[in-house]
Amino acid sequence: MGITTVDQIVTADGYASEPDGGLSFFDAFDQTGDRTDQGQLEWLQGVDAILLGRRTYEMFSSYWPTPAADGDAVAEWINAAPRHVVSATLDSAPWGDHAAAEVHGDGALAAVSALRERYDSVVVWGSLDLTDALFAAGEVDVLRLRTVPVVIGAGRSFVPSSLGRQRLALEGSTAQATGHVATSYRVLR
């Protein structure tokens, strides 16, 4: 039975998006020198597939399989990995010149259940409505936060407000040259 990791980029005050849904805080990374997140690249070597919600799929598919992503060290991995999208509205999920993502129209829990049978490790990026459903159902095994060095004062949390207390066990934390900190927690049941 595979594990599901929610991997979110968040602000130092714990927001995964700005109040209007924007993500401009992503630019708070150190803009000088090499911005390659070696820790992310190393971690991805143990991940077998990607699961996205529809809106995040649309955002990712408009960037990662395009020339704009050329030179980004993680683009090759993202474009080669099996990609899955939870959506009740999409019939197909093209990915540029690469294999299309597989669409799961039967909901988040059914998709995660099926993917746990197929893969040892699945990452969910962004997709806040999807991750809300997974947290509420107890289907998140690992929470991985990449905290950027900025506060924004208000926004959308990376967990549903109704979740209540959820205990976590620290697996590791590493400061990156880009100025952010990657922290991984195992979700305790």
Side-chain angles (χ1 to χ4, degrees), residues 171-185:
E171 290 189 330
S173 186
T174 307
Q176 301 295 322
T178 55
H180 76 283
V181 177
T183 308
S184 184
Y185 300 95

Side-chain angles (χ1 to χ4, degrees), residues 73-91:
V74 76
E76 183 178 337
W77 186 90
I78 290 174
N79 290 329
R83 294 166 305 280
H84 299 266
V85 180
V86 174
S87 175
T89 59
L90 292 176
D91 293 323

Side-chain angles (χ1 to χ4, degrees), residues 50-82:
I50 303 167
L51 178 62
L52 305 169
R54 181 194 48 84
R55 286 188 297 265
T56 302
Y57 155 74
E58 289 171 347
M59 183 174 50
F60 273 40
S61 67
S62 70
Y63 177 73
W64 290 110
T66 71
D70 289 351
D72 192 316
V74 76
E76 183 178 337
W77 186 90
I78 290 174
N79 290 329

